[in-house]
Structure formats: structure tokens, C-alpha cells
Amino acid sequence: MQGVFMKALVRWGATLGIASSIFFAGLSQTENLRAVALPQSEVLKKLQIVPVFTLINPKGEFVVISRNNQSKTISQVGFFLSKQNAQDFLDKRLKKENPQLASTLQVRPLSLADYYQIVQEAKKKKDSVIYTLVPAQEQLESAKTIMNQNGQKVQQFNGIPLFIPKLDKGYLTIPVPQSKERYVPLYFEKEQAVALLDEFKKAVPQEASKTGIEVAELSGVVETLNTSNDPNMNKFILYPSRESIAFIRSLAPKSSAPNQLPAAKPQAAPTQKK
């Protein structure tokens, strides 16, 4: 499984960051994430390109952290979206609490697909261990701020936020190299969504006032992918964070990594009326 994941990341790393053009999506918000399913293999393919990071011991086993919560003990395995956050957890917390154990541990990458398969297997076996996906704290704050600005009035964001650039009643799309299709990017960082919107605004300044960001929650998106039958759902693509992209590219042989990326030339496709 690990070898397949690494190969997938290397292939994907060669294309990430090449946002050749930006288009107005033909996918309207009336066909949004709640209303739209894919075969299990296609769902896993979308999750396969996003790395997550966890701690393992010398035997290659996950590190289970136990803590007391009132009258019961909770056992958890943490999977981090940020490699740095995983390293910080090891260096700044575990090394203080149990330096001897911490000295034997290391951060190991897996894919988001691996994580969801582990969770599903745990549910089948009624495993008492909780497998937690840990978001970046600053992105939780960004999600809360955007949702409040959009009139949703939330006190806190629960889960893993995804940021989707939109225009009026549609989503912005980007072409993916080696594909004739255009996709709606679901970013793990607000800053990535903002950068795409900025490119669009430069290309089509008259539409700048109609742009915005929609916030979705990762587990809800995955559930929709698994349960709906709308083919439009295949137009959504999970786009790793900038830190993860740098990690992915570090896996590729230097000879296969381009020194410079093509310049982005945003365009606007016409709105598709219904």
C-alpha cells in the first residue's frame, strides 16, 4: 500500500501547481456538495493524492495515545494533515512526556485513502481506538471567519475544512495537466482559494465583486462521494496544501521535476444557464 501511495504522489507532484487557466465552472451551486457518487475505487483515487502523517514505532505500528476523560480512558491515533504539525507533536509534547519512547518514534506518511480505509476497518471490527484526523488550527479559524462572513454564524468549525472558490452561483474550475477536463478544486488552505480568486479577478475584473469562498467539511464531502449518483461529483478534486505539495515534490527524482512552471493565464468561460 505504501509503495502505491508513493508512486501516486510522485506522478501527481509533477503536475501540481500548474494552474494554466481559470474558468467559470459549468457546475452551479444548485448542484452543490449536498446534492451530489462515485464507485469506491474512484473515491479512493481522489483521496490517494492527499498525504497525511502519523507516528510509528520501530515495528511499524501506529502510536496509540491514551488519556483519561472523566471516568473512562480514550485511546487515539493521530493522523495530521501537516507533516510539521506531526513533527511538532512528537518533539514538543511526546518528548517531554516520555522522552525514551519518543526517541524511538518517527513521522510516517500515508495517504488520505489509507486513513479512511483504516477508519472503515476499525468500525467493522468495533475497534475501541479512535483514529483522528488533525486539521491545521489556523485553517479552522479561517473557516469559522468565512462562514460567519457568509452569514452562517458558527462558534467553531468541527472537522476538516475545505475551501472552494466560487463566482456568483457557480464554482471556479481549473484544468489539470494531461486531462481535457476542468475540475473544481477543494483546497485544504484558505490561502490557496484566495490565490485562485485573485488570478481570476485579474483576468476578469468586472466579475471581481461576485467572487467568494464556500466552506465544506471533508467527511461530509467523502460521504457525498460515496452515496450520491450525480456524475458532476467527479468534477471535484481535493487539492493538497502547499506544505504537502512541497513534500510530494520532494519524493520525485530531481530529473523529472520541472525547474519552472508555466505562467498562469486565467480565462473566464461563459456562464451556463439552465
Side-chain angles (χ1 to χ4, degrees), residues 102-140:
S103 66
T104 68
L105 305 180
Q106 61 176 299
V107 175
R108 170 68 61 84
L110 293 90
S111 75
L112 190 57
D114 294 333
Y115 167 77
Y116 272 96
Q117 288 177 307
I118 290 167
V119 171
Q120 292 306 313
E121 285 299 314
K123 287 180 180 178
K124 290 178 185 177
K125 297 176 181 178
K126 297 183 179 180
D127 192 343
S128 60
V129 176
I130 300 172
Y131 298 89
T132 304
L133 192 58
V134 183
Q137 187 61 41
E138 61 270 23
Q139 299 307 325
L140 291 177

Side-chain angles (χ1 to χ4, degrees), residues 17-269:
I18 308 177
S20 323
S21 308
I22 302 172
F23 296 87
F24 176 67
L27 184 64
S28 72
Q29 283 180 283
T30 57
E31 301 169 300
N32 66 14
L33 300 180
R34 294 184 298 277
V36 290
L38 300 173
Q40 182 68 17
S41 60
E42 289 299 314
V43 175
L44 292 177
K45 200 177 291 184
K46 287 182 178 292
L47 303 180
Q48 189 77 43
I49 59 178
V50 180
V52 297
F53 304 88
T54 191
L55 302 180
I56 63 165
N57 64 21
K59 295 181 180 179
E61 300 166 330
F62 296 138
V63 177
V64 180
I65 306 297
S66 296
R67 60 184 176 86
N68 294 323
N69 184 13
Q70 296 180 347
S71 60
K72 63 179 181 179
T73 299
I74 296 177
S75 298
Q76 289 182 303
V77 175
F79 293 81
F80 297 80
L81 284 169
S82 163
K83 183 182 179 183
Q84 187 59 54
N85 286 354
Q87 192 66 52
D88 288 344
F89 181 75
L90 174 59
D91 294 339
K92 298 178 181 179
R93 176 175 168 180
L94 294 188
K95 284 186 178 179
K96 289 181 179 179
E97 296 179 356
N98 192 331
Q100 185 174 355
L101 171 65
S103 66
T104 68
L105 305 180
Q106 61 176 299
V107 175
R108 170 68 61 84
L110 293 90
S111 75
L112 190 57
D114 294 333
Y115 167 77
Y116 272 96
Q117 288 177 307
I118 290 167
V119 171
Q120 292 306 313
E121 285 299 314
K123 287 180 180 178
K124 290 178 185 177
K125 297 176 181 178
K126 297 183 179 180
D127 192 343
S128 60
V129 176
I130 300 172
Y131 298 89
T132 304
L133 192 58
V134 183
Q137 187 61 41
E138 61 270 23
Q139 299 307 325
L140 291 177
E141 293 299 318
S142 293
K144 182 179 72 173
T145 298
I146 291 171
M147 293 179 76
N148 284 327
Q149 290 172 346
N150 291 343
Q152 293 172 269
K153 299 187 184 302
V154 297
Q155 295 298 318
Q156 63 180 20
F157 189 91
N158 297 314
I160 306 297
L162 295 171
F163 303 90
I164 316 170
K166 65 177 185 177
L167 172 63
D168 199 10
K169 294 184 178 181
Y171 298 107
L172 293 183
T173 67
I174 59 173
V176 173
Q178 301 176 349
S179 171
K180 295 181 180 179
E181 300 292 331
R182 300 199 303 268
Y183 294 88
V184 178
L186 278 63
Y187 293 113
F188 284 85
E189 291 181 323
K190 180 202 76 173
E191 292 79 7
Q192 293 169 300
V194 170
L196 187 67
L197 287 175
D198 287 345
E199 291 291 342
F200 179 81
K201 291 174 185 177
K202 290 177 185 177
V204 194
Q206 66 271 23
E207 299 287 344
S209 62
K210 298 179 182 180
T211 61
I213 296 175
E214 180 177 316
V215 179
E217 199 280 315
L218 177 62
S219 63
V221 171
V222 174
E223 179 65 21
T224 301
L225 287 169
N226 278 310
T227 58
S228 175
N229 292 305
D230 191 323
N232 281 317
M233 201 59 197
N234 198 38
K235 299 295 183 183
F236 291 89
I237 183 171
L238 294 171
Y239 208 96
S241 68
R242 293 165 297 176
E243 179 195 348
S244 290
I245 291 172
F247 167 75
I248 292 168
R249 285 176 170 166
S250 73
L251 301 177
K254 292 184 179 180
S255 58
S256 66
N259 292 325
Q260 292 185 336
L261 298 177
K265 295 181 180 180
Q267 297 178 4

